[in-house]
Amino acid sequence: MAARSTALGRALSLACLLGLSVSGPGCAADADWPAFGHDASNANFSGLSLIDRGNVARLRPAWLFQTGVTGYFQAQPIMVDGTLYVSTTGNNVAALDARTGRVVWTYTHKARTEKIFGPPSNRGLAVSDGLVFQATMDGRVIALDAKTGAVAWDHEAVRPEEGETETASGLAQTLGGKPVQGSSRLGFKMPPLVAGGLVIVGVTGAGYGLHVEDERGGLDGGSVVGIEGGYGRRGWLAAYDAKTGAERWRWYVTKADGWEGDFVTATADGVPLHRDIAAEKAAAPANRDAWRVGGGSLWMTPAYDPDLGLIYLGTGNPAPQNFGLSRPGDNLYTMSLVALDLRTGQLRWHYQQVPHEEWGYDVASPPVLLDHRTADGRTVKAVASASKTGWVYVHDRATGALLARSEPLITHKNLYQPPSPEGTVVSPGPLGAVSWPPTAYDAARGLAFIQVRHGAATYTVKSVPGAPGRPEIRYTETSEAKGEPSFSTLTAVDLARTGRIAWSARAGSRLSGGTLATAGGLVFSGEEDGHLDAHDAETGKILWRFQCGAGISGPAITYALDGRQYVAVAAGGASFTKASGFGTGDALVVFALPD
């Protein structure tokens, strides 16, 4: 039966792509890849099935485009009306003929400052109504003409160094022999969401404060040490007019009135937090204004429900990272899944996954919209969040009520135990279970396909003498836990019904970039060693793999033109590849079946 349905899907796909009057998988809505995640549901799923489990072993490179900018190539391409658009490291943009890779136009970005947060990575574009939208690491939101690449408008949303607190005179200039850097700088990494005539994007770099960056790459391209004190920034999401670039509204992550919350002793799903509530309350009077520099970066593109008029997004860690006494309370609305009104930016509901967070568990992976069937047989419009904490949470889209929590994706160890002078080993570490790479969701199977990292970190509270006449400086150092298992799995979870793990396939190297699922029964997943793998959606078995020459750190897409289906992925490595021994590159690799 499976083989028959696959063959029928291929026939329907081919017929509709050739313009015949049919409906089914692979029709117009699936031929393009018009937005990040494919559409506003963030499902990273395509109904195309010309490439399927029966023929994927024959998949070969069709063309390759080299950007000329090596490294940190994390972008998901966009394909609209035969043109493929991709952004590169440093926020350059290329428009390419999606059939051949021929360059249509390029845009070279000229940053207004070199003071940016982290590596100059960019995770993608948005294309709508003849414009290509990009949010840049130097704090700008830009619209380009989709036909020519000419700048339609260029709005400076924030200067990365604006409001930056430089290293204080009373602070040690080095920690562990490494220089202390100034507080975090704001910029953009996420692909914008375009909805209702608005371009919506949020800042990264808010949740760290004063920090030390590891030149070798640390845990994930720069280990960040949380230093006690109010040195962070305030994260925000904003909406800009798609025609003019004028700002329409801005929502700040940290709550100005009452961000301390209720000083809860457990998460909303009942896991103990091991907090010293008495110490926090004693520290509260001296830290009433901590929300002003309270962090909350926004890493990835929101999902959007046009019927409810709501957008859904995850928020990042509070500042200072991994050090909580200088920010007493629950630190609302960091570490949360939130729903905002598209038109006004007003908060409708929130679900805080980790109150008073001290481990780096940002709600980073893009939320996914789906239908969930409850235990009493009701079908509820839902939004799912795959979390760094090791579960997938499923909520009612309208109210935020928790409908289900998946089985654990990892083995937990000392979860939510605070950092200590002796060093506390906690699993997961700050890389997750599930970090920013997106999840794919196949509604027909009811399965979500998730790249899961298994590993632990040691969180150690340390101190060094301050400057003469100043108190000591306390900080939390995070390092990879020695002797603990460290590996990745591609894991399929039944989100439509039970929350149970359907299968889990262990990878040969660390997985990165996210997943793509198709109606051909396939799941594409990238590895940091350069392999792009195609798995059987039913079993997890690898049916095809290709060495792309550099680490896969962006999500693949698929599209179809002239009756031929393509798969495209960026291969450029990522910040952590230097530490792991894998190289970087600059290639967009596009695959198809032989003619």
Side-chain angles (χ1 to χ4, degrees):
M1 179 64 71
R4 180 180 177 184
S5 63
T6 299
L8 177 60
R10 283 202 307 268
L12 287 170
S13 292
L14 182 58
C16 118
L17 288 168
L18 292 175
L20 302 179
S21 180
V22 298
S23 61
C27 287
D30 296 305
D32 285 1
W33 192 277
F36 175 81
H38 188 267
D39 56 42
S41 72
N42 273 346
N44 283 280
F45 176 84
S46 170
L48 292 172
S49 57
L50 294 172
I51 301 169
D52 62 23
R53 288 176 289 186
N55 61 24
V56 69
R58 299 170 52 225
L59 203 60
R60 298 291 185 271
W63 55 266
L64 179 146
F65 172 72
Q66 292 181 285
T67 69
V69 184
T70 302
Y72 312 127
F73 195 8
Q74 298 180 328
Q76 183 179 67
I78 299 292
M79 203 292 285
V80 178
D81 295 334
T83 301
L84 190 148
Y85 303 90
V86 65
S87 56
T88 76
T89 296
N91 297 113
N92 298 331
V93 180
L96 311 170
D97 185 311
R99 296 172 178 84
T100 66
R102 178 184 62 84
V103 175
V104 178
W105 55 258
T106 60
Y107 162 80
T108 301
H109 185 65
K110 296 180 181 179
R112 296 178 186 174
T113 178
E114 295 182 357
K115 292 185 174 183
I116 64 173
F117 167 70
S121 57
N122 174 269
R123 293 173 180 164
L125 308 164
V127 179
S128 180
D129 292 331
L131 293 175
V132 178
F133 301 98
Q134 178 181 210
T136 71
M137 284 300 296
D138 61 319
R140 292 148 63 189
V141 185
I142 297 171
L144 306 174
D145 185 288
K147 296 294 185 184
T148 67
V151 175
W153 52 259
D154 182 343
H155 176 84
E156 185 175 74
V158 62
R159 286 189 177 270
E161 70 276 23
E162 186 177 289
E164 180 179 26
T165 303
E166 295 298 338
T167 305
S169 59
L171 187 72
Q173 301 300 302
T174 64
L175 291 175
K178 298 168 186 173
V180 175
Q181 307 296 323
S183 67
S184 293
R185 297 154 179 161
L186 299 185
F188 300 108
K189 281 185 181 287
M190 71 166 63
L193 168 69
V194 180
L198 298 174
V199 181
I200 298 167
V201 68
V203 293
T204 60
Y208 298 102
L210 296 175
H211 60 278
V212 176
E213 293 199 13
D214 184 346
E215 293 179 359
R216 187 174 179 272
L219 285 170
D220 198 10
S223 60
V224 179
V225 178
I227 301 175
E228 181 182 20
Y231 302 109
R233 304 289 294 278
R234 195 182 185 198
W236 49 263
L237 184 89
Y240 302 92
D241 188 292
K243 293 182 178 179
T244 67
E247 184 174 316
R248 296 304 181 201
W249 55 256
R250 183 178 294 201
W251 177 76
Y252 285 95
V253 175
T254 59
K255 182 174 168 59
D257 180 19
W259 97 303
E260 297 87 354
D262 296 324
F263 289 88
V264 298
T265 58
T267 64
D269 52 325
V271 184
L273 285 167
H274 309 290
R275 291 168 65 177
D276 188 341
I277 299 297
E280 286 184 45
K281 289 186 175 179
N287 293 279
R288 292 297 184 197
D289 291 334
W291 61 271
R292 296 183 183 275
V293 287
S297 292
L298 298 162
W299 293 103
M300 289 304 292
T301 308
Y304 170 52
D305 182 332
D307 294 330
L308 293 174
L310 296 181
I311 59 174
Y312 306 89
L313 63 145
T315 66
N317 61 268
Q321 185 189 38
N322 305 341
F323 207 105
L325 275 184
S326 58
R327 47 173 174 81
D330 299 342
N331 309 145
L332 300 176
Y333 298 103
T334 64
M335 313 307 295
S336 299
L337 181 68
V338 302
L340 305 180
D341 186 288
L342 172 73
R343 290 295 174 192
T344 65
Q346 292 184 340
L347 181 74
R348 289 287 189 87
W349 58 259
H350 85 282
Y351 181 92
Q352 191 170 32
Q353 292 182 6
V354 191
H356 193 72
E357 197 276 340
E358 296 189 90
W359 305 271
Y361 296 152
D362 310 74
V363 184
S365 187
V368 177
L369 304 186
L370 68 152
D371 291 339
H372 175 77
R373 194 164 186 81
T374 62
D376 59 6
R378 295 179 300 116
T379 298
V380 180
K381 297 293 183 184
V383 54
S385 173
S387 74
K388 281 191 174 183
T389 61
W391 291 282
V392 185
Y393 300 91
V394 182
H395 301 267
D396 186 306
R397 275 184 231 171
T399 67
L402 184 64
L403 300 173
R405 189 186 73 173
S406 75
E407 290 183 330
L409 306 178
I410 61 164
T411 299
H412 292 97
K413 183 174 185 176
N414 295 329
L415 186 63
Y416 304 140
Q417 289 286 351
S420 65
E422 302 78 22
T424 305
V425 176
V426 180
S427 176
L431 297 184
V434 185
S435 189
W436 71 267
T439 293
Y441 181 71
D442 184 336
R445 292 179 171 84
L447 295 179
F449 305 101
I450 308 168
Q451 291 181 331
V452 181
R453 293 173 177 175
H454 303 251
T458 301
Y459 298 84
T460 307
V461 176
K462 296 185 175 183
S463 63
V464 295
R470 300 276 186 164
E472 67 177 6
I473 298 103
R474 296 186 298 170
Y475 63 99
T476 299
E477 184 176 77
T478 306
S479 59
E480 191 168 357
K482 300 184 183 302
E484 296 290 331
S486 180
F487 60 95
S488 289
T489 57
L490 180 65
T491 300
V493 180
D494 181 350
L495 288 190
R497 294 170 292 274
T498 66
R500 294 176 182 169
I501 294 175
W503 53 259
S504 188
R506 185 161 174 163
S509 66
R510 190 158 62 181
L511 298 179
S512 58
T515 53
L516 159 69
T518 76
L522 298 171
V523 183
F524 291 88
S525 175
E527 300 190 38
E528 73 168 17
D529 70 356
H531 281 100
L532 179 65
D533 304 326
H535 295 255
D536 187 316
E538 295 289 346
T539 67
K541 179 182 178 181
I542 293 180
L543 303 176
W544 169 90
R545 65 197 318 238
F546 186 88
Q547 174 54 256
C548 295
I552 308 298
S553 57
I557 69 165
T558 189
Y559 61 91
L561 290 165
D562 307 323
R564 193 181 194 195
Q565 184 179 350
Y566 300 82
V567 175
V569 71
S575 53
F576 53 77
T577 58
K578 291 182 180 179
S580 61
F582 297 107
T584 54
D586 70 342
L588 178 70
V589 188
V590 181
F591 303 90
L593 296 174
D595 289 331

